[in-house]
Amino acid sequence: MATQYELEHNVKFAEPRRSGRRVDMASFFALLNQLDEPSSSSPSATPHNNPHATPTPVDTAALFRLLQSQLQTLHTTAPTPDNRDFLEHLIASLEDDIHDPPTRLQGASQEFVDMLDRVDRKALGKDDDCAICKVPYLEDEYCLVVELPCQGRHRFDLECVGPWLRSKGTCPMCREEVGKKKEVPIVEDSEEEDGDMMYA
């Protein structure tokens, strides 16, 4: 399966571009595509064979288990104690979703993930790395780094954070919900009232 970078830049790499810290999320995305409900914002999404079918708790638990398994793979080769602790925290947080799965996925849409702000390579420092895989961004000639719209403006490799966002809809670092549109409060227009008073 092509990576997000390969899709976005219409390229195909013969070999993996990174060290063994990269995980293969093909099974995760295959299951996610089966469970994902087509939204009105994405008319091009392929509808399910049965329009009344919804993901079962067993299906959603399996999706979280796949994500947890890939994080455990990264955990076994964690280069620092901080990375190991961070991954343990993410792995543990998925336990609730595995043992008591939601009836529908609360994660962000693919459209949301595709629209995340890309970080210019020039804005990255030599030692900046992804909190999930811990590989310095600039080691990758074709790095694709995104900045989440959370308060901390946390940055991740898109390939690392994408599965988390699609399944959980939160920033992995601060857990702020980022995948849902925030409602804009409607402000009453007070000029009309003032204008009416002027002519009274």
Side-chain angles (χ1 to χ4, degrees):
M1 177 176 212
T3 65
Q4 183 70 28
Y5 186 92
E6 290 170 322
L7 292 173
E8 197 162 298
H9 294 281
N10 197 25
V11 295
K12 180 69 178 153
F13 297 106
E15 305 174 1
R17 299 169 296 141
R18 284 242 178 144
S19 69
R21 294 281 299 155
R22 233 358 119 161
V23 294
D24 180 10
M25 297 302 292
S27 298
F28 171 88
F29 283 111
L31 180 56
L32 179 66
N33 288 338
Q34 290 176 4
L35 302 181
D36 206 13
E37 298 170 16
S39 64
S40 57
S41 64
S42 176
S44 64
T46 307
H48 295 288
N49 292 339
N50 180 353
H52 304 292
T54 57
T56 66
V58 173
D59 295 331
T60 53
L63 185 77
F64 289 116
R65 194 171 287 110
L66 282 170
L67 179 57
Q68 186 184 54
S69 172
Q70 296 303 334
L71 291 173
Q72 287 168 334
T73 300
L74 287 175
H75 179 266
T76 60
T77 59
T80 66
D82 285 345
N83 181 242
R84 186 173 294 107
D85 291 344
F86 176 63
L87 291 171
E88 283 173 7
H89 189 63
L90 295 181
I91 290 164
S93 73
L94 291 167
E95 279 298 316
D96 290 339
D97 294 314
I98 291 169
H99 295 298
D100 185 20
T103 55
R104 61 187 319 217
L105 293 175
Q106 301 297 315
S109 68
Q110 186 60 49
E111 292 82 9
F112 172 83
V113 174
D114 291 342
M115 297 302 293
L116 286 170
D117 291 336
R118 296 337 192 219
V119 179
D120 190 317
R121 187 177 178 88
K122 295 173 187 164
L124 299 170
K126 182 178 79 144
D127 296 326
D128 291 346
D129 60 18
C130 175
I132 297 172
C133 70
K134 290 310 278 180
V135 176
Y137 298 126
L138 295 179
E139 276 188 15
D140 185 351
E141 182 182 355
Y142 303 102
C143 63
L144 185 55
V145 181
V146 294
E147 185 174 87
L148 301 187
C150 59
Q151 298 239 345
R153 309 296 297 173
H154 295 118
R155 294 176 175 180
F156 301 91
D157 283 314
L158 181 58
E159 289 178 56
C160 290
V161 78
W164 181 271
L165 292 172
R166 293 297 317 275
S167 54
K168 297 290 278 182
T170 61
C171 170
M173 293 288 285
C174 63
R175 301 304 171 85
E176 182 180 330
E177 196 170 280
V178 295
K180 295 199 167 106
K181 292 181 180 175
K182 296 196 176 7
E183 290 189 25
V184 179
I186 298 172
V187 180
E188 299 279 331
D189 189 8
S190 60
E191 288 180 24
E192 265 185 33
E193 294 171 13
D194 293 343
D196 290 344
M197 294 180 76
M198 287 177 59
Y199 299 108

